[in-house]
Amino acid sequence: MVELQKLHNQDVHPSWDTQNYPFYRAIWIECAELLDHYGWKWWKHQSLDEEQVKLEVVDIWHFGLSMIIVDGKDLGELAQTVVEQYDNHDLPEFRTAVESLARAALANKFDLQLFVDVLRAIPMSLNELYGIYKGKHVLNRFRQANGYKEGTYRKLWQGREDNVHLAAVVRDLDAFSESFLGELHDALERRYADG
Protein backbone atom coordinates (compact mmCIF):
# COMPACT_ATOMS: atom_id res chain seq x y z
CA MET A 1 0.00 0.00 0.00
CA VAL A 2 2.92 2.32 0.68
CA GLU A 3 4.17 2.04 -2.90
CA LEU A 4 0.66 2.54 -4.31
CA GLN A 5 0.17 5.61 -2.11
CA LYS A 6 3.43 7.10 -3.30
CA LEU A 7 2.36 6.57 -6.94
CA HIS A 8 -0.96 8.32 -6.40
CA ASN A 9 0.60 11.19 -4.47
CA GLN A 10 3.12 11.67 -7.29
CA ASP A 11 0.18 11.98 -9.71
CA VAL A 12 -0.98 14.94 -7.64
CA HIS A 13 2.50 16.50 -7.33
CA PRO A 14 5.90 14.97 -8.19
CA SER A 15 7.38 16.31 -4.93
CA TRP A 16 4.28 15.66 -2.83
CA ASP A 17 6.28 14.70 0.25
CA THR A 18 7.87 18.16 0.55
CA GLN A 19 4.73 20.25 -0.09
CA ASN A 20 3.49 20.28 3.53
CA TYR A 21 0.02 19.22 2.44
CA PRO A 22 -2.46 19.34 5.35
CA PHE A 23 -3.23 15.60 5.34
CA TYR A 24 -4.54 16.00 8.90
CA ARG A 25 -7.29 18.33 7.62
CA ALA A 26 -8.35 15.82 5.00
CA ILE A 27 -8.58 13.18 7.74
CA TRP A 28 -10.97 15.09 9.96
CA ILE A 29 -13.13 16.11 6.99
CA GLU A 30 -13.26 12.46 5.87
CA CYS A 31 -14.26 11.53 9.45
CA ALA A 32 -17.29 13.81 9.10
CA GLU A 33 -18.19 12.23 5.75
CA LEU A 34 -17.77 8.80 7.32
CA LEU A 35 -20.24 9.65 10.08
CA ASP A 36 -22.74 10.92 7.48
CA HIS A 37 -22.67 7.52 5.73
CA TYR A 38 -22.88 5.69 9.04
CA GLY A 39 -25.62 7.85 10.51
CA TRP A 40 -25.50 10.10 13.52
CA LYS A 41 -28.69 12.16 13.44
CA TRP A 42 -31.02 11.13 16.23
CA TRP A 43 -33.85 13.32 14.91
CA LYS A 44 -34.37 11.52 11.59
CA HIS A 45 -34.24 8.04 10.11
CA GLN A 46 -30.86 7.14 8.62
CA SER A 47 -29.69 3.91 7.03
CA LEU A 48 -26.16 2.59 7.29
CA ASP A 49 -24.40 2.56 3.90
CA GLU A 50 -21.71 0.01 4.75
CA GLU A 51 -19.94 0.12 1.37
CA GLN A 52 -19.60 3.90 1.52
CA VAL A 53 -18.54 3.76 5.18
CA LYS A 54 -15.71 1.41 4.24
CA LEU A 55 -14.71 3.62 1.29
CA GLU A 56 -14.52 6.64 3.62
CA VAL A 57 -12.32 4.63 6.02
CA VAL A 58 -10.04 3.88 3.08
CA ASP A 59 -9.97 7.59 2.19
CA ILE A 60 -8.83 8.30 5.74
CA TRP A 61 -6.16 5.61 5.37
CA HIS A 62 -4.84 7.30 2.20
CA PHE A 63 -4.16 10.50 4.11
CA GLY A 64 -2.96 8.76 7.27
CA LEU A 65 -0.59 6.60 5.25
CA SER A 66 0.69 9.73 3.51
CA MET A 67 1.43 11.29 6.91
CA ILE A 68 3.23 8.11 8.01
CA ILE A 69 5.39 8.13 4.85
CA VAL A 70 6.27 11.82 5.19
CA ASP A 71 7.12 11.35 8.87
CA GLY A 72 9.60 8.62 7.86
CA LYS A 73 8.33 6.11 10.39
CA ASP A 74 9.51 2.48 10.33
CA LEU A 75 6.81 0.88 8.19
CA GLY A 76 7.63 -2.69 9.19
CA GLU A 77 7.28 -1.83 12.86
CA LEU A 78 4.02 0.03 12.23
CA ALA A 79 2.59 -2.91 10.28
CA GLN A 80 3.42 -5.25 13.15
CA THR A 81 1.80 -2.83 15.60
CA VAL A 82 -1.41 -2.74 13.56
CA VAL A 83 -1.64 -6.53 13.46
CA GLU A 84 -0.98 -6.78 17.20
CA GLN A 85 -3.46 -4.03 18.10
CA TYR A 86 -6.25 -5.34 15.90
CA ASP A 87 -7.41 -7.97 18.41
CA ASN A 88 -5.80 -6.88 21.67
CA HIS A 89 -8.28 -4.62 23.43
CA ASP A 90 -11.96 -3.87 24.00
CA LEU A 91 -14.16 -3.09 21.02
CA PRO A 92 -14.90 0.65 20.87
CA GLU A 93 -18.22 2.22 19.93
CA PHE A 94 -18.02 3.32 16.27
CA ARG A 95 -19.00 6.99 16.50
CA THR A 96 -16.77 7.53 19.53
CA ALA A 97 -13.84 5.89 17.71
CA VAL A 98 -14.34 8.16 14.67
CA GLU A 99 -14.56 11.26 16.86
CA SER A 100 -11.35 10.29 18.67
CA LEU A 101 -9.57 9.87 15.33
CA ALA A 102 -10.89 13.27 14.19
CA ARG A 103 -9.69 14.91 17.43
CA ALA A 104 -6.19 13.54 16.84
CA ALA A 105 -6.29 14.86 13.26
CA LEU A 106 -7.31 18.30 14.53
CA ALA A 107 -4.08 18.20 16.55
CA ASN A 108 -2.18 17.48 13.30
CA LYS A 109 -1.64 13.79 14.15
CA PHE A 110 -2.57 10.47 12.64
CA ASP A 111 -3.04 8.06 15.53
CA LEU A 112 -2.67 4.53 14.19
CA GLN A 113 -4.28 2.93 17.25
CA LEU A 114 -7.35 5.15 16.87
CA PHE A 115 -7.55 4.22 13.18
CA VAL A 116 -7.40 0.52 14.11
CA ASP A 117 -10.20 1.19 16.63
CA VAL A 118 -12.35 2.54 13.77
CA LEU A 119 -11.61 -0.56 11.68
CA ARG A 120 -12.55 -2.87 14.52
CA ALA A 121 -15.72 -0.95 15.38
CA ILE A 122 -17.23 -1.23 11.87
CA PRO A 123 -16.02 -4.15 11.71
CA MET A 124 -13.56 -4.08 8.81
CA SER A 125 -10.78 -6.64 8.52
CA LEU A 126 -7.23 -5.80 7.52
CA ASN A 127 -7.78 -7.86 4.35
CA GLU A 128 -10.83 -5.71 3.52
CA LEU A 129 -8.80 -2.57 4.14
CA TYR A 130 -6.15 -3.83 1.71
CA GLY A 131 -8.63 -4.89 -0.98
CA ILE A 132 -10.76 -1.75 -0.84
CA TYR A 133 -7.62 0.40 -0.63
CA LYS A 134 -6.37 -1.10 -3.89
CA GLY A 135 -9.74 -0.44 -5.52
CA LYS A 136 -9.87 3.18 -4.33
CA HIS A 137 -6.24 3.60 -5.44
CA VAL A 138 -7.25 2.68 -8.99
CA LEU A 139 -10.20 5.09 -8.86
CA ASN A 140 -8.04 7.93 -7.50
CA ARG A 141 -5.45 7.47 -10.23
CA PHE A 142 -8.26 7.17 -12.80
CA ARG A 143 -9.69 10.47 -11.57
CA GLN A 144 -6.31 12.20 -11.89
CA ALA A 145 -5.78 10.81 -15.40
CA ASN A 146 -9.22 12.10 -16.43
CA GLY A 147 -8.94 15.69 -15.25
CA TYR A 148 -9.82 15.62 -11.53
CA LYS A 149 -7.22 18.22 -10.60
CA GLU A 150 -8.15 20.42 -13.58
CA GLY A 151 -11.88 20.22 -12.82
CA THR A 152 -12.90 18.40 -16.00
CA TYR A 153 -13.55 14.99 -14.46
CA ARG A 154 -17.19 13.83 -14.30
CA LYS A 155 -17.88 12.26 -10.89
CA LEU A 156 -21.39 11.13 -11.90
CA TRP A 157 -21.67 8.35 -14.46
CA GLN A 158 -25.03 7.03 -15.58
CA GLY A 159 -26.60 8.98 -12.71
CA ARG A 160 -24.44 7.39 -9.99
CA GLU A 161 -21.32 8.62 -8.21
CA ASP A 162 -18.03 7.00 -9.22
CA ASN A 163 -17.60 5.46 -5.73
CA VAL A 164 -20.83 3.52 -6.30
CA HIS A 165 -19.51 2.20 -9.62
CA LEU A 166 -16.24 1.28 -7.90
CA ALA A 167 -18.05 -0.73 -5.21
CA ALA A 168 -20.10 -2.57 -7.85
CA VAL A 169 -17.08 -3.50 -9.97
CA VAL A 170 -14.88 -4.54 -7.03
CA ARG A 171 -17.54 -7.06 -5.89
CA ASP A 172 -16.88 -9.11 -9.05
CA LEU A 173 -13.07 -9.05 -8.88
CA ASP A 174 -10.41 -10.63 -6.68
CA ALA A 175 -8.43 -7.82 -5.01
CA PHE A 176 -5.60 -10.26 -4.31
CA SER A 177 -5.20 -11.25 -7.97
CA GLU A 178 -2.13 -9.96 -9.84
CA SER A 179 -4.43 -8.70 -12.60
CA PHE A 180 -6.77 -6.83 -10.23
CA LEU A 181 -5.42 -3.30 -10.80
CA GLY A 182 -5.60 -3.61 -14.59
CA GLU A 183 -9.00 -5.32 -14.64
CA LEU A 184 -10.49 -2.70 -12.35
CA HIS A 185 -9.04 0.17 -14.38
CA ASP A 186 -10.46 -1.30 -17.60
CA ALA A 187 -13.91 -1.78 -16.03
CA LEU A 188 -13.94 1.82 -14.75
CA GLU A 189 -12.80 3.06 -18.15
CA ARG A 190 -15.73 1.29 -19.85
CA ARG A 191 -18.28 2.64 -17.38
CA TYR A 192 -16.88 6.17 -17.58
CA ALA A 193 -16.98 6.12 -21.39
CA ASP A 194 -20.66 5.05 -21.26
CA GLY A 195 -21.33 8.28 -19.39
Side-chain angles (χ1 to χ4, degrees), residues 135-172:
K136 191 63 188 258
H137 167 78
V138 171
L139 179 59
N140 285 341
R141 294 199 77 202
F142 182 83
R143 286 171 170 172
Q144 290 300 323
N146 286 284
Y148 202 61
K149 194 172 175 183
E150 296 80 14
T152 58
Y153 177 76
R154 292 181 338 264
K155 201 166 182 179
L156 290 177
W157 319 343
Q158 303 157 12
R160 296 186 302 171
E161 198 171 306
D162 58 2
N163 272 331
V164 175
H165 286 280
L166 172 67
V169 172
V170 166
R171 270 187 238 121
D172 297 330

Side-chain angles (χ1 to χ4, degrees), residues 14-187:
S15 300
W16 69 274
D17 53 342
T18 60
Q19 300 306 301
N20 295 316
Y21 289 134
F23 296 117
Y24 69 91
R25 183 177 303 137
I27 291 170
W28 64 262
I29 295 293
E30 294 292 346
C31 285
E33 292 176 11
L34 172 58
L35 284 175
D36 275 342
H37 288 296
Y38 188 82
W40 62 274
K41 296 176 182 173
W42 62 91
W43 63 89
K44 71 177 239 181
H45 174 74
Q46 291 185 286
S47 298
L48 168 67
D49 187 341
E50 190 172 341
E51 283 182 343
Q52 291 304 309
V53 163
K54 290 180 177 181
L55 283 168
E56 295 297 345
V57 169
V58 167
D59 286 347
I60 291 166
W61 181 235
H62 280 90
F63 299 116
L65 188 54
S66 296
M67 286 179 78
I68 289 168
I69 295 167
V70 169
D71 289 345
K73 295 184 177 166
D74 182 324
L75 298 172
E77 185 179 308
L78 287 174
Q80 184 63 35
T81 300
V82 168
V83 171
E84 289 170 1
Q85 291 174 347
Y86 194 82
D87 292 320
N88 275 350
H89 56 284
D90 295 334
L91 188 63
E93 192 276 323
F94 180 75
R95 290 175 194 91
T96 303
V98 173
E99 289 165 350
S100 295
L101 183 62
R103 258 191 305 282
L106 284 167
N108 197 10
K109 294 180 177 88
F110 178 68
D111 187 310
L112 194 54
Q113 177 59 59
L114 294 175
F115 179 76
V116 171
D117 285 350
V118 170
L119 288 177
R120 293 175 62 243
I122 292 174
M124 184 175 181
S125 72
L126 296 175
N127 280 345
E128 280 183 289
L129 174 65
Y130 176 71
I132 297 169
Y133 174 88
K134 284 177 66 178
K136 191 63 188 258
H137 167 78
V138 171
L139 179 59
N140 285 341
R141 294 199 77 202
F142 182 83
R143 286 171 170 172
Q144 290 300 323
N146 286 284
Y148 202 61
K149 194 172 175 183
E150 296 80 14
T152 58
Y153 177 76
R154 292 181 338 264
K155 201 166 182 179
L156 290 177
W157 319 343
Q158 303 157 12
R160 296 186 302 171
E161 198 171 306
D162 58 2
N163 272 331
V164 175
H165 286 280
L166 172 67
V169 172
V170 166
R171 270 187 238 121
D172 297 330
L173 299 175
D174 176 7
F176 292 90
S177 161
E178 287 186 29
S179 60
F180 174 77
L181 297 175
E183 289 175 11
L184 178 56
H185 181 272
D186 293 347

